[in-house]
Amino acid sequence: MAAIWAGIDAGKAHYHCIAIDESGRRLLSRRVADDEPELLELLADILALGDEATRGIALADGGAALAIALLVNRDQPVHYISGRAIHRASESYRGEGKTDAKDAAVIADQVRVRRDLHPLRAGDDTVIDLKILTGSRMDLVADRTRTVNRLRAQFTGISPGLERALDLTNTGPLHLLTGYQTPAATRRIGVKRLETWLRSRHVVRPDRLAETAVQAAERQHTSLPGEKLAGNLRRPQRYNRRRQRVFDTSALFSNRHCEESRRFYDRKRAEGKRHTQAVLALARRRVNVLRALLRDGRRYEPAPPARAAAQEGTRHAARGQLA
C-alpha cells in the first residue's frame, strides 16, 4: 500500500475530506458532521487506504478544534495550510466557484506537493486560555469602539459643538448624556446646577465638565432636525411584563384590603380616572414606595417617619393645651 494525502475542509457544522494517492487520483471523498463518532470513522478509513497518511487542514483552531484534537491525540500528523494560500492555489485548479469539496481537494494536493507546511501539535492549556481571553478582550474593545462611533455620529447631528467638547470615551461625559443631550437642555440647567447633578453621580471634576458643556451649548441656539427623537435616550424600550403583572395584581388586592390604598384609589376616581387607570396609578404608587424603602434601607410603615414624628408632636401639643 502506498502513501496517501488527505485534505480536510472545516465548515460550520460539517467537514469535507478528500484523500488522493501520489498521482493525484481520488481515493476517498466524504462529507461528515462535526461529531466525534463520525470523525473517528473517517480517520480510520483514511488509515485503511495506505501505509503512510499525511493530512492537511485549513484551520488551526475554532471550527476544526475537534478534528485536530482527535488527530493529535492519536499521533496522526496533520499540517496547517492557511486559507489565503488555499485561495491563491485554487485558481490553478479546475472548477469554478468555491465549494467544500474543491477546497478539500486543493488542501490534499498542496499537502502532497509542498514541503514547507508545519505540523500542528497539542497546544499548551495556558497558551490556549490566554488566546481565548485575548480574543474576548479584542471583541469587547471592538464593540466599545463601534458604540462610541455610533454615539458620536448621532451626537454630531444634535450638537457638533458639544460633540467636539466632550470626550465620549470617558465616563463623565457619558453620565452627562444620560440626563442632558441637547444644547437647550444644557443651557437651561446652567453650570452650578449641572455641577451639582454630576457630583451626585460621582463624576470626576464635575465643575470642569459642567463649565465645558455649558460653554459649548451657549454657542448653539439652533435646534437641529431630529433632535427631540435622537436625544430621547432614557425611555425604556422593554419592560418586565411578569413584574408588571405582580404589581397590578398587588394593587388590585390592596385596594380591597388596605385602607391607605383604598383612599388613594378613591382619590384617583374622584379626579375622573376610570377604574383601570386608578388601579395602574396605585400600582405605580406602590413601586415608588418600594423604591424609596430600598433606597433608604428601612421597613414599610403606614406613615413615613417624618409625618409620624409631626403627628406625635401635634398630639403632645394638643395634650398640653387640654392640660
Side-chain angles (χ1 to χ4, degrees), residues 236-254:
Q237 300 298 321
R238 299 181 63 184
Y239 60 93
N240 192 312
R241 295 183 181 273
R242 295 175 61 184
R243 194 171 299 163
Q244 183 193 32
R245 284 196 298 269
V246 168
F247 279 101
D248 289 348
T249 305
S250 172
L252 187 62
F253 280 92
S254 68

Side-chain angles (χ1 to χ4, degrees), residues 10 64 73 125 219 280:
N73 292 341
D125 289 343
R219 299 179 65 84
L280 291 177

